[in-house]
Amino acid sequence: EALVLKREIYARRATMGSEADRTVLAGGNLCCSLLRAKRFAEAKSLLRDQLLPAARRSLGPEHCYFMDTEEWLVQALHRDPGATRDDLLEAEALALGTLQRRRR
């Protein structure tokens, strides 16, 4: 039930064109719920297809919410029991890149 509500909140924010940071946070809340529910494929799809491109475009790669979004993808890749070696390498590269930017 919580997943349904979080999907609705994110969908409304995304279609209304409301503030970018709040839209990313709503998407992040949905993503975290998907990860807790072990819906890794859905979380990865949401992040790759919607959240990361929108956050990059509207907030930029140095914004803390964009980097949070990258870290959610790292979690989705790393925690997926069906993760391939390429998934894990992608997660590692993404985590290192995000860490370097956070240190600046």
Side-chain angles (χ1 to χ4, degrees):
E1 193 174 319
L3 265 175
V4 171
L5 291 174
K6 289 180 181 182
R7 278 191 182 100
E8 288 176 13
I9 292 168
Y10 173 68
R12 277 194 201 136
R13 287 208 171 274
T15 57
M16 290 173 44
S18 58
E19 297 174 42
D21 56 345
R22 290 184 183 217
T23 302
V24 171
L25 285 176
N29 288 335
L30 172 56
C31 179
C32 289
S33 293
L34 291 169
L35 292 174
R36 278 193 295 277
K38 299 184 186 325
R39 294 183 173 200
F40 302 109
E42 191 175 348
K44 288 185 278 189
S45 176
L46 172 67
L47 287 160
R48 285 183 171 142
D49 299 341
Q50 296 177 33
L51 282 179
L52 276 169
R56 181 180 289 115
R57 197 174 43 252
S58 59
L59 302 173
E62 302 298 322
H63 195 282
C64 62
Y65 291 167
F66 176 77
M67 290 185 270
D68 289 346
T69 305
E70 289 181 312
E71 289 176 358
W72 295 325
L73 180 55
V74 168
Q75 288 181 35
L77 291 165
H78 183 261
R79 291 174 52 192
D80 185 351
T84 65
R85 184 175 191 280
D86 287 341
D87 289 337
L88 297 176
L89 290 172
E90 178 185 357
E92 179 183 35
L94 193 54
L96 290 173
T98 304
L99 178 62
Q100 289 173 347
R101 274 184 282 122
R102 284 201 190 268
R103 286 184 175 167
R104 291 184 208 149

